[in-house]
């Protein structure tokens, strides 16, 4: 599928998420589905000592607000395509600069950031284009941390590929995508989850820009 076609389909998903934004903050949903990858991304940012950070597809800003509070970077940006999500994010905190834009065309100069993170959204992106953009906006040594739904095996990957707006890349495919974009992989593992939410098959992949 060409990038413009995928972007068009994902624009439709953006509209759906804008409509669903009020439900996104439900405590049980955040605690059991979204908090595990958020915890892991924050641990990576602390280890890296990141000071200029962008949270891509930030949604209603829950992770961005945690980064502001727990990491306390010098600059923090929350970027999303959904006006509905961003409206809720702006009401949450003014410690983050909220920006509207797609992952494949970020509103930052070359080398402007030292960390880019995204959780629970990468499977909706044009993945090669997004990773090239992450690489562009990062300074040398910059961190990228991506948590996304990921195929556990060939059968699941083949099934997911038929739903074109979403692509759940396998671990090996994700590594190849990162390396093709110019990143050196430093860590990759399944998100650690309570047993009752392990049906959510998400993968954390971390890299650095050489």
């Amino acid at each position: 599928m060409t990038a413009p076609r995928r972007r068009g389909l994902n624009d439709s998903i953006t509209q759906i998420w804008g409509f669903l934004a009020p439900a996104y903050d439900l405590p049980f949903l955040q605690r059991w589905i979204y908090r595990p990858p958020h915890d892991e991304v924050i641990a990576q940012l602390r280890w890296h000592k990141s000071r200029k950070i962008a949270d891509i597809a930030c949604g209603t800003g829950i992770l961005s607000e945690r980064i502001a509070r727990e990491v306390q970077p010098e600059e923090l940006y929350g970027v999303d395509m959904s006006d509905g999500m961003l409206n809720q994010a702006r009401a949450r905190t003014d410690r983050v600069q909220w920006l509207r834009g797609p992952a494949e065309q970020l509103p930052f100069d070359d080398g402007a950031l030292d960390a880019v993170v995204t959780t629970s959204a990468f499977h909706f992106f044009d993945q090669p284009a997004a990773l090239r953009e992450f690489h562009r906006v990062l300074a040398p040594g910059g961190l990228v941390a991506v948590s996304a739904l990921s195929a556990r095996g060939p059968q699941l990957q083949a099934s997911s590929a038929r739903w074109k707006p979403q692509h759940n890349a396998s671990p090996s495919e994700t590594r190849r995508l990162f390396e093709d974009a110019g990143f050196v992989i430093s860590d990759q593992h399944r998100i650690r989850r309570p047993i009752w939410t392990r049906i959510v098959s998400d993968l954390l992949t971390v890299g650095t820009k050489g």
Side-chain angles (χ1 to χ4, degrees), residues 55-201:
D55 177 16
I56 311 302
C58 63
T60 61
I62 290 177
L63 174 59
S64 299
E65 190 212 11
R66 281 192 63 190
I67 293 170
R69 185 175 67 252
E70 298 177 28
V71 181
Q72 299 183 351
E74 296 169 10
E75 298 177 17
L76 177 58
Y77 304 90
V79 183
D80 203 279
M81 280 292 292
S82 167
D83 289 325
M85 290 286 189
L86 288 172
N87 287 339
Q88 287 191 220
R90 291 186 181 101
R92 183 180 302 281
T93 181
D94 60 2
R95 298 174 66 186
V96 180
Q97 298 184 59
W98 305 108
L99 304 172
R100 188 177 187 278
E104 302 86 353
Q105 193 174 359
L106 296 175
F108 304 108
D109 293 335
D110 294 358
L113 304 172
D114 61 21
V116 171
V117 303
T118 186
T119 60
S120 307
F122 183 70
H123 38 274
F124 294 128
F125 298 166
D126 177 336
Q127 294 164 1
L131 286 169
R132 289 193 299 269
E133 190 70 346
F134 296 172
H135 191 273
R136 179 187 69 80
V137 302
L138 284 171
L143 175 82
V144 59
V146 172
S147 167
L149 295 178
S150 170
R152 290 188 182 274
Q155 184 175 4
L156 179 58
Q157 183 172 335
S159 175
S160 67
R162 288 197 294 270
W163 183 32
K164 295 300 186 181
Q166 175 174 335
H167 180 61
N168 301 349
S170 68
S172 60
E173 183 184 3
T174 302
R175 292 184 70 92
R176 178 180 58 77
L177 288 167
F178 270 61
E179 290 166 355
D180 287 350
F183 290 108
V184 177
I185 302 293
S186 58
D187 189 15
Q188 186 182 69
H189 62 265
R190 293 285 171 187
I191 298 296
R192 303 173 182 92
R193 289 185 167 278
I195 191 168
W196 54 89
T197 64
R198 286 182 187 168
I199 192 173
V200 180
S201 176

